[in-house]
Each structure stands twice: as C-alpha cells, then as structure tokens.
C-alpha cells in the first residue's frame, strides 16, 4: 500500500478522501472501505462522507474523531431530510445512476433535485477548502460528487484532485438524457485525473469530451480544456484477494437445505438493483431447467439480494417482478424435496458469504450494466484451486474485460445463457482448474491495494494545475 511517496520519490502530501460513505466506527474487513482506509493509513489525512440525514446544514463538518489506529481524521457533512430526497435519492440515484447504467428510460427528473445536488457539492467544497494544506491530494469517489472538483476550482483550489467513478460511463447518446449534459465536460476537466473501471468507459468519456468544442486531445494522450490539462485513464478495481481467500477457507458454511449433501449449488449475490439483471437470470435458469436438466440432477440456485434504495420507485418494481418470476419457475419445477430457486433478501455476514462462495459449484454474475462487479472476483478468490467452481459472467460487467477465462454470456440471450449453465454444471475438472488458475492469478495480482496505489501514483505525477486566477487573465 502507499507509503506517502510516489515511485519517483516525490512527496504526495496528505490524502483527503471524499466518498458517500465514511466508516463511523470500526472499519469493516474487505471491500472498498477497507482499501481506502489502508491508503489513508499510509498517507495520513482525512476522510469525509455523508452524515445521517436530518442534521444541521448551517454548520460545518461533524468531527467523527480519528480512525481506530489514529492515522487519519474522519468527518461527516450534514444532510437535511430534503437533501436526502433531492441530492441522494433524487439526482444521484434516480437520475445519474440509471443514466450511467444505460437506462435513460428510468431517469426520473424532479424539479429541485439538481439544486440540492449543487447545494451539497458546494457545501462539501467549502468545508474541504477550509481544511486544505497546499500539498494535500484530494481523491473523490463516485457519482454523488461529479461537480465537487469544479466547485473547488471556482473557489481557487489548486491542489491535485482525482475522481474515481465506480459505475460505467454513459455513451454520448445516453448522456443527452441528462438535463445538465452541457456542464459535464467542465465538471470532468476540473480534475487532474479521471479514473474509470474499463477501457470501454474511457472510450465513452473521450467520446463525450470529443464533442465538447472547448476540449482538445493533446499529442501525449492528455486532454486540455480552457488552460487546464487532465487525463482519463482506466484503473480496474480489485478486492483484498488474500484476505478473502483466507476468510473463505476458514468460514463456517450456513446450513443449506438441498435435496442431497452433494446437490449442485448455483449462487448469485447482488444488491437488489435493476442493473444486476436478476429477472433475466431467473428466466435463464428456468429455461435451463425446462430444456437441459438431467432428470437425476436437482440443482438449486440460491440468490442473495438484499433490498437497496427501497424508497426509489424503480426498485420496488423490480422486487415484484423477481418474486413473480421465482414463484412461477418454482411452481413449474419444485418437488417435495426440492425448490429450484431460493431467494433470500437478508444481508449475509462476510465469513458466511465467503464460505457459501466456496461451496457453490457455479456463480451467476450476470448484470446488464456494472462498473466492475466485485462478486465475480470474490467468487474466484474463495475457490479451492484443486476443485474450483465455474464463474458465469456477463460481458456487460466491467470485470469481463479482465476475466476472459470465465464463461462469458449475454444475459439478453436466454437460450445461450441456459446453455452456459448446462456447460458449467457439466464442466470436467481439468477445464475448471485451468480456467480458475488463470482467473485467480489476475484477481490476486490486480488486487485492491494495487488499484489504490496505481491511482495515487498517477495522481501524484499529474502536472501542477494552472491556477484559476492566471487563466482568467
Ligand atoms: P456495488 O454496486 O455495490 O458497487 P459490487 O461490486 O457487486 O457492487 O459489490 C458489492 C459488494 O457487496 C460485494 O463485496 C459483495 O460481497 C457485497 N454484497 C452483496 N450482496 C451482499 C449480501 N446479501 N450480503 C452481504 N454482502 C453482500 C459499485 C459498482 C460496482 C463496482 C463497485 C466497486 O456498482 O460495479 O464493482 O462499486 O468499484
């Protein structure tokens, strides 16, 4: 992990991380929060995230105290209930999220939501500016803060600023559904470094910027907009593979009711979200059962999908669709000792989840759009290399760009998807081992520490930004 200096020996200064979530107590093992905590422990600095809604928005940041090791400080910015509605559930999750996941049809623009988005970004920018030291590097995460850097530049902040977008980048046609699309190039160009998950996201961002009359692509691959240079690059996020593999090996498998102890288990683990393609996945499993199943085999597909963003209408619809689809498939195929689809809505602890991954013969990771998808990488890390399971991965997941040895499927092609399930359940051990070995190597090499380190190295190398004052003249 970073140790505070870049490979070229240049000092990085402190790190200031801004993300929607900031850990308020102990830092949970694994995942993004864990990686950011590790990076901050190396550099020192601070981490700023949203407070529970309902706080006093006239005040500044709430001091959450230092992290448990005392290496960095944590702060929460206040949100009113109206901002929770307009900034978080509204503009972030009912406009930007569907749009960036190629679902402009689900974009729900409500009057006033963008004003809340601006107000929150501006308030966070002001609070940040007041605390910055000249050498601090700012690392912003995700779509909740697309205009934060632009606000900071307007306030004269010259520090290095990077944004990592965890979700896909929209193509130019989808982007046109954003009422504020004309502002997007200026927001992006306010960063020194824009990090995206995949090559196709980089291409989409460059395409959007190519249509902006003020942005110029330079010979060295960087971009220039109104006197400021910046880069757009790919930094595919990883997981704490070592840690996850250890947890999977040691984890206690929850008691499962399967027809027999050795019955095949297929597993899906997702937040309940329309981008995850759960209805298409249920349908493909239904087709597999109807057309391919060996009558002596009774496979169980366990889908763990806790409800998220339950206050957004589009999320209530998908829940109903899913329950109807599971009910009808189970109705057609269940026997006294076998329920083919088991759908669990609760959150599952990390160690139990890891043990389930290890037991599962097949993982179904088949989103219709996904920035990366960490479940695909967790599943690979959790396997026993001598007897591994098979990963079925949608080519719409960002992970598909790296994990080419998975069984790649098009989730819209129900027949092809069902055939892939059949192939996975019959795959000979030698082929399973060969595919898994190749996948495992990538997951362990390009882990989350490598991701944070490469992003921060690139950001530290960014040429010093041109002060706004100088450009104005
Ligand atoms: P998410 O959309 O949250 O993240 P993902 O990458 O799949 O999606 O990560 C989900 C995480 O939550 C995994 O670590 C998984 O183990 C855990 N999880 C899911 N369901 C769970 C359950 N029922 N119980 C317990 N844990 C559960 C966004 C982007 C992704 C991108 C990540 C990281 O949408 O595309 O991969 O950020 O950049």
């Amino acid at each position: 992990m970073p140790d505070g200096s870049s490979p070229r020996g240049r000092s990085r200064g402190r790190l200031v991380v801004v993300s929607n979530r900031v850990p308020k107590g102990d830092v949970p093992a694994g995942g993004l929060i864990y990686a950011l905590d590790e990076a901050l422990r190396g550099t020192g600095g601070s981490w700023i995230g949203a407070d529970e809604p309902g706080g006093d928005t006239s005040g500044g940041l709430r001091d959450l105290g230092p992290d448990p090791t005392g290496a960095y400080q944590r702060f929460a910015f206040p949100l009113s209930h109206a901002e929770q509605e307009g900034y978080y559930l509204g503009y972030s999750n009912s406009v930007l999220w569907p749009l960036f996941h190629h679902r402009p049809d689900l974009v729900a623009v409500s009057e006033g939501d963008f004003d809340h988005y601006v107000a929150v970004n501006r308030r966070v920018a002001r609070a940040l500016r007041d605390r910055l030291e000249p050498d601090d590097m700012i690392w912003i995460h995700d779509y909740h803060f697309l205009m934060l850097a632009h606000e900071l530049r307007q306030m004269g902040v010259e520090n290095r600023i990077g944004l990592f977008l965890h979700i896909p980048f929209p193509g130019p046609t989808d982007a046109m559904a954003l009422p504020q699309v004309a502002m997007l190039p200026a927001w992006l160009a306010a960063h020194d470094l824009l990090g995206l998950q995949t090559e196709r996201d980089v291409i989409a961002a460059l395409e959007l910027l190519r249509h902006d009359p003020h942005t110029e692509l330079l010979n060295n691959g960087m971009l220039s907009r109104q006197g400021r240079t910046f880069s757009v690059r790919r930094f595919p996020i990883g997981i704490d593979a070592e840690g996850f593999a250890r947890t999977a090996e040691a984890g206690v498998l929850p008691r499962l009711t399967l027809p027999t102890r050795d019955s095949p288990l297929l597993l899906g683990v997702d937040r309940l979200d329309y981008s995850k393609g759960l209805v298409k996945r249920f349908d493909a499993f239904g087709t597999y059962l109807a057309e391919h199943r060996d009558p002596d085999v009774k496979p169980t597909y366990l889908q763990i999908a806790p409800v998220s963003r339950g206050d957004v209408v589009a999320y209530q619809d998908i829940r109903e669709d899913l329950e109807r689809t599971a009910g009808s498939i189970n109705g057609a195929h269940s026997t006294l000792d076998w329920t083919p689809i088991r759908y669990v809505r609760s959150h599952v602890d990390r160690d139990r989840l890891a043990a389930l991954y290890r037991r599962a013969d097949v993982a179904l990771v088949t989103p219709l759009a996904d920035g990366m998808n960490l479940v695909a990488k967790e599943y690979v890390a959790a396997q026993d290399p001598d007897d591994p399971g098979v990963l079925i991965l949608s080519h719409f997941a960002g992970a598909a760009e790296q994990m080419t040895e998975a069984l790649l499927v098009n989730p819209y092609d129900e027949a092809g998807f069902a055939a892939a399930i059949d192939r996975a359940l019959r795959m000979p051990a030698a082929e399973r081992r060969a595919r898994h070995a190749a996948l495992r190597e990538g997951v362990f090499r390009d882990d989350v520490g490598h991701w944070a380190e490469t992003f921060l190295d690139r950001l530290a190398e960014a040429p010093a930004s041109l002060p706004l004052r100088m450009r104005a003249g």
Side-chain angles (χ1 to χ4, degrees):
M1 291 304 298
D3 63 357
S5 61
S6 75
R8 295 184 186 175
R10 200 181 304 165
S11 168
R12 271 184 188 160
R14 300 180 319 168
L15 182 61
V16 179
V17 170
V18 184
S19 65
N20 179 52
R21 283 184 53 215
V22 55
K24 298 194 170 93
D26 285 344
V27 176
L32 174 65
I33 297 289
Y34 167 86
L36 296 177
D37 171 71
E38 282 273 304
L40 274 162
R41 283 194 212 178
T43 54
S46 48
W47 189 342
I48 299 166
D51 215 337
E52 304 307 327
D56 172 13
T57 56
S58 62
L61 301 176
R62 186 162 73 90
D63 193 340
L64 301 171
D67 76 291
T69 67
Y72 65 91
Q73 298 296 315
R74 310 196 266 197
F75 299 95
F77 62 85
L79 272 185
S80 66
H81 285 298
E83 284 169 348
Q84 169 74 1
E85 283 285 319
Y87 150 78
Y88 181 74
L89 294 172
Y91 198 75
S92 297
N93 285 315
S94 303
V95 176
L96 295 174
W97 177 275
L99 189 88
F100 281 55
H101 285 86
H102 319 303
R103 292 297 304 270
D105 58 309
L106 292 180
V107 168
V109 178
S110 301
E111 207 185 329
D113 284 0
F114 181 61
D115 296 339
H116 285 302
Y117 190 79
V118 175
V120 172
N121 273 263
R122 197 162 282 164
R123 184 171 340 116
V124 175
R126 248 184 253 122
L128 231 132
R129 177 200 54 191
D130 294 345
R131 297 179 174 275
L132 283 176
E133 302 279 340
D135 274 350
D136 288 354
M137 287 205 311
I138 304 168
W139 192 6
I140 302 170
H141 289 266
D142 241 357
Y143 57 101
H144 313 85
F145 304 106
L146 285 185
M147 60 183 300
L148 179 58
H150 187 251
E151 289 296 317
L152 286 164
R153 299 300 185 207
Q154 299 284 333
M155 294 171 188
V157 169
E158 294 157 23
N159 298 57
R160 290 191 170 82
I161 309 179
L163 168 70
F164 184 78
L165 193 65
H166 291 260
I167 61 176
F169 198 91
T173 313
D174 284 349
M176 274 153 56
L178 184 70
Q180 292 73 28
V181 65
M183 300 180 188
L184 209 45
W187 294 352
L188 300 179
H191 305 93
D192 297 288
L193 179 60
L194 170 60
L196 300 165
Q197 299 270 27
T198 65
E199 201 53 49
R200 76 181 163 224
D201 297 318
V202 170
I203 291 167
L206 292 178
E207 185 64 8
L208 182 112
L209 290 163
R210 201 169 64 81
H211 286 94
D212 170 44
H214 304 293
T215 304
E216 195 189 338
L217 182 61
L218 306 176
N219 286 338
N220 60 3
M222 294 183 74
L223 296 131
S224 159
R225 190 177 199 278
Q226 299 188 319
R228 173 177 296 286
T229 53
F230 65 107
S231 316
V232 182
R233 302 185 70 96
R234 156 185 184 261
F235 297 91
I237 196 168
I239 60 161
D240 169 24
E242 298 267 1
F244 204 84
R246 269 199 307 275
T247 308
E249 212 167 342
V252 178
L253 188 67
R255 212 158 55 83
L256 296 166
T257 328
L258 303 178
T260 66
R261 221 171 145 263
D262 301 324
S263 293
L265 177 68
L266 299 93
L267 179 66
V269 176
D270 308 76
R271 267 184 319 98
L272 189 60
D273 193 297
Y274 46 82
S275 66
K276 303 290 183 183
L278 294 173
V279 175
K280 298 245 171 278
R281 197 183 300 171
F282 280 26
D283 281 339
F285 185 64
T287 301
Y288 159 78
L289 293 177
E291 293 180 6
H292 296 278
R293 184 175 74 89
D294 173 343
D296 296 333
V297 178
K298 290 181 172 175
T300 300
Y301 163 25
L302 170 62
Q303 176 63 52
I304 302 176
V307 174
S308 70
R309 303 173 197 164
D311 299 340
V312 177
V313 177
Y315 289 75
Q316 292 154 12
D317 295 348
I318 172 203
R319 189 170 148 181
E320 281 166 23
D321 280 359
L322 207 54
E323 280 163 15
R324 201 175 323 111
T325 312
S328 115
I329 294 170
N330 280 338
H333 298 280
S334 293
T335 58
L336 284 177
D337 65 342
W338 175 48
T339 309
I341 299 186
R342 303 270 307 279
Y343 168 34
V344 176
R345 269 201 241 119
S346 58
H347 179 86
V348 178
D349 294 343
R350 198 175 120 89
D351 52 344
R352 282 151 56 94
L353 194 62
L356 269 174
Y357 281 139
R358 195 170 170 94
R359 164 65 179 84
D361 302 280
V362 177
L364 298 173
V365 182
T366 57
L368 307 177
D370 214 334
M372 177 55 62
N373 196 302
L374 299 180
V375 171
K377 297 187 173 183
E378 291 168 352
Y379 179 71
V380 167
Q383 296 310 297
D384 173 0
D386 293 330
D387 185 20
V390 180
L391 173 63
I392 295 186
L393 181 62
S394 152
H395 58 213
F396 295 112
E401 215 169 270
Q402 296 169 295
M403 305 181 83
T404 50
E405 296 84 3
L407 284 190
L408 293 178
V409 295
N410 171 3
Y412 293 101
D413 171 12
E414 201 173 295
F417 190 165
I421 294 175
D422 184 48
R423 182 170 170 203
L425 286 171
R426 294 170 188 273
M427 190 179 283
E431 183 180 351
R432 282 190 282 119
R433 279 196 292 269
R435 286 176 180 270
H436 175 259
L439 289 168
R440 190 175 193 275
E441 193 190 326
V443 168
F444 275 71
R445 183 191 57 228
D446 300 328
D447 68 357
V448 71
H450 173 78
W451 167 78
E453 209 165 355
T454 48
F455 186 94
L456 291 174
D457 283 347
R458 278 284 172 189
L459 183 57
E461 285 167 15
S465 300
L466 198 59
L468 207 66
R469 288 187 298 280
M470 280 170 60
R471 276 184 283 133

